[in-house]
Amino acid sequence: MAGGALPGFRDFYPHEFAQRAHIFRAWREVARRYAFSEYDGPPLEPLDLYTKKSGDEIVGQLYNFKDKGDRDVALRPEMTPTFARMVGARANALRKPVRWFSIPQLFRYERAQRGRLREHFQLNVDIVGEASELADAELLCVAIDIMKELDLGPADVRARVSDRLLLNALLAAIGVASEQVPVVFSVIDKIDRVSAAATEEKLAETGLNPSQIARIVGLTARQTLDSLKREFGTDGALGERFAVLDRYLAHLTALGVDDWIDLDLRIVRGLAYYTGIVFELFDAKGELRAICGGGRYDTLLESLGGANLPALGFGMGDVVLGELLKERGLLTVPEGSGADLFIVGGNGVLQHGIAHALRLASILRDAGLSVDYSLNAEVYQTRASRNQVDSAKKSGARAAIYFDNETDVVVQGLIGKLNDAPKMSFPAVPLLANTPHAVAVLKNWYELNLTGSATGAPSLTPDA
RNA sequence: GUGACUGUAGCUCAAUUGGUUAGAGCACCGGUCUGUGGCACCGGGGGUUGCGGGUUCAAUCCCCGUCAGUCACCCCA
């Protein structure tokens, strides 16, 4: 459609914004439970923050330009360099381990596809200053707990875990030379998207013999540490790495998330900078792109000019996650304003002037309730009250409030069938006099009867 | 950046092998029902058929271009 947002960019109408807010809420809530602190940085950064480490070819995927001061700048395509700079600048002053998270909007100039836009929000969760595998377990547990918070279970989402150091040790045991390792990693990364013949050819090109190739391909099918131990033994560096992973998995079991996890040595992550345990979260059906990916990058902070500190983190975008939630019917949000109370006038209820409604609205708003009403005084006073109730209901208001007679105002719940919804009369005179007790009684009744799941209030789960 | 497919109302879709004024449901707006409806009924606003050319007496339909979307590559922070 002409006149829409730029390609790969999204307009968030209130409905979409509510969906986004639902995801953000889960992110922040779980991060809070794990005692992470939120931070942010600039959306516009010096171009060389990204080219220094990744080389000039990354410019093709950046929104970059010269600003009016002739500086080369770019919209941030990822958070890690900013994070590294911020941590590096205060590395000595920060209490370790650093547990930080952020929800930046990131930009990349490339052709949009499903689950891959030119702009997205990405939860970044990072831990700095702790080399123990317990930190790795904690990090993955955060990602999994977010899935739980969004009502996804281990049948919906799988966490695939690997370890670059283990893979290195296994490849060494197979006889792969260190200069061959990057090629092997790249082949393993693509093994599902490339034919077996092409995989073998690529490996053969690097000088590996058929027996080595067979063992490498065999690695990508292994499911358990035990089978690897049987094949390769537990001596030396390999054995030490097995021990680390055994402890890592034991921690995850103790944290209660072991049924989400699959060992999968195919997960190497495209990025060269990962140095240890890595993981990705996928939908269990394997239809979508990765929901989340991360791992340990113990050398990255130093190479980005920061401190020499061990670190690990993950990124989780809102796009694929949103697709998955929509597919599972877990992203339904209430329509409309969701006002607490909608003041109804018109024939059918006591004819009061609009001033009474405004007075009531003002008092209730001061008490912290959200209040809506017709913004046309003539409509308020003349339109049939039942039509106004209809409008109130459609607007998403939880309850209508109207002057029933000279002495009472009535609060009528609007959720579900009207005759099943809670309804209560309150004395009008003390309310309009803003008597604290009268207002508190109404508010308490509202909160007890019209909020929370017990009343069938709008929830984020589909209607039965 | 490469290739394939698809573009009709806010949404989901119609429209006879190319043929009058492009329709319907939902949504939206207004009204009727003096009171229970997750109604019902009546009415209304909404479209340069993505855009621009071409072929034709005539184009939503055929052709070309362009833009956008989807998918596969590329890339994946």
Side-chain angles (χ1 to χ4, degrees):
Chain A
M1 285 286 163
L6 284 170
F9 284 75
R10 297 170 289 176
D11 287 327
F12 289 91
Y13 288 85
H15 179 73
E16 288 80 33
F17 193 92
Q19 295 180 329
R20 175 177 127 185
H22 177 58
I23 291 171
F24 282 22
R25 211 178 296 127
W27 284 349
R28 289 203 165 93
E29 169 58 21
V30 173
R32 183 196 65 77
R33 276 188 230 150
Y34 283 79
F36 281 73
S37 303
E38 187 164 3
Y39 71 97
D40 200 0
L44 195 66
E45 290 277 19
L47 179 62
D48 65 11
L49 185 66
Y50 305 110
T51 54
K52 240 186 326 195
K53 198 69 203 101
S54 310
D56 290 339
E57 65 273 15
I58 197 169
V59 174
Q61 294 169 38
L62 287 178
Y63 273 95
N64 68 297
F65 53 94
K66 275 192 192 293
D67 73 4
K68 291 181 179 177
D70 207 35
R71 283 175 283 260
D72 283 306
V73 295
L75 291 171
R76 59 186 175 196
E78 56 168 323
M79 199 57 177
T80 303
T82 301
F83 174 74
R85 180 187 67 211
M86 291 170 66
V87 169
R90 299 188 184 180
N92 291 333
L94 292 170
R95 180 174 42 82
K96 264 66 80 177
V98 171
R99 304 160 78 104
W100 284 4
F101 79 100
S102 188
I103 306 180
Q105 188 173 22
L106 304 178
F107 306 87
R108 56 198 167 196
Y109 193 89
E110 62 178 1
R111 198 150 165 186
Q113 289 186 33
R114 187 184 189 202
R116 201 167 172 81
L117 304 172
R118 287 181 171 180
E119 148 276 317
H120 72 145
F121 292 91
Q122 188 188 63
L123 171 69
N124 279 250
V125 177
D126 292 275
I127 298 172
V128 174
E130 180 51 66
S132 162
E133 65 282 346
L134 178 53
D136 294 84
E138 176 89 342
L139 185 75
L140 176 53
C141 201
V142 172
I144 291 173
D145 245 353
I146 289 167
M147 300 300 108
K148 287 192 206 168
E149 182 71 13
L150 292 165
D151 295 320
L152 292 162
D156 302 304
V157 174
R158 304 301 304 168
R160 298 194 202 153
V161 172
S162 183
D163 177 22
R164 287 200 165 191
L165 294 179
L166 176 68
L167 193 54
N168 277 330
L170 292 169
L171 293 178
I174 290 170
V176 176
S178 58
E179 65 270 18
Q180 294 171 316
V181 166
V183 177
V184 173
F185 270 28
S186 146
V187 168
I188 289 175
D189 188 35
K190 293 181 175 140
I191 199 158
D192 287 330
R193 305 193 291 271
V194 174
S195 72
T199 295
E200 284 168 26
E201 191 186 326
K202 200 82 188 280
L203 291 173
E205 274 174 23
T206 68
L208 296 164
N209 65 45
S211 140
Q212 289 174 313
I213 291 171
R215 291 186 81 188
I216 290 169
V217 172
L219 284 180
T220 64
R222 298 284 170 187
Q223 296 294 326
T224 67
L225 285 179
D226 285 343
S227 61
L228 291 169
K229 288 177 192 166
R230 277 195 298 276
E231 179 177 346
F232 289 90
T234 57
D235 294 333
L238 198 47
E240 283 171 28
R241 207 56 205 165
F242 278 132
V244 168
L245 286 172
D246 280 335
R247 291 197 296 272
Y248 172 68
L249 293 174
H251 294 324
L252 288 167
T253 300
L255 285 164
V257 297
D258 49 309
D259 53 346
W260 294 72
I261 291 164
D262 301 316
L263 182 70
D264 189 338
L265 296 182
R266 286 170 295 186
I267 304 299
V268 298
R269 306 282 301 147
L271 268 293
Y273 61 63
Y274 286 104
T275 57
I277 293 171
V278 291
F279 66 88
E280 293 185 354
L281 260 51
F282 285 89
D283 72 292
K285 291 182 189 166
E287 292 169 348
L288 303 171
R289 296 168 191 276
I291 298 164
C292 161
R296 185 169 277 281
Y297 51 92
D298 281 344
T299 58
L300 184 68
L301 290 184
E302 186 168 30
S303 66
L304 285 173
N308 178 16
L309 286 169
L312 59 160
F314 71 78
M316 182 186 295
D318 68 318
V319 180
V320 174
L321 183 57
E323 300 270 356
L324 176 62
L325 291 171
K326 270 185 223 164
E327 215 168 71
R328 302 296 159 89
L330 295 173
L331 203 50
T332 58
V333 295
E335 294 287 347
S337 67
D340 295 322
L341 295 164
F342 194 110
I343 305 179
V344 166
N347 58 16
V349 301
L350 183 67
Q351 286 281 355
H352 263 306
I354 187 71
H356 277 73
L358 301 183
R359 174 88 178 130
L360 184 61
S362 167
I363 289 164
L364 294 172
R365 284 168 175 162
D366 282 350
L369 293 161
S370 61
V371 180
D372 196 0
Y373 49 81
S374 170
L375 287 180
N376 183 313
E378 191 186 339
V379 168
Y380 171 77
Q381 282 170 162
T382 61
R383 191 173 181 225
S385 56
R386 62 189 316 152
N387 287 350
Q388 294 195 45
V389 171
D390 276 344
S391 295
K393 207 167 159 62
K394 281 185 184 174
S395 80
R398 285 205 176 89
I401 181 166
Y402 52 88
F403 295 94
D404 191 43
N405 52 49
E406 287 297 340
T407 56
D408 294 309
V409 297
V410 169
V411 176
Q412 164 70 65
L414 295 173
I415 308 300
K417 291 190 153 209
L418 287 190
N419 50 356
D420 295 337
K423 182 177 179 179
M424 183 61 72
S425 292
F426 300 90
V429 172
L431 272 179
L432 288 171
N434 201 6
T435 308
H437 178 70
V439 175
V441 166
L442 188 153
K443 189 181 178 187
N444 286 341
W445 180 87
Y446 173 85
E447 284 170 354
L448 279 172
N449 292 280
L450 292 169
T451 61
S453 54
T455 60
S459 71
L460 289 163
T461 52
D463 287 338

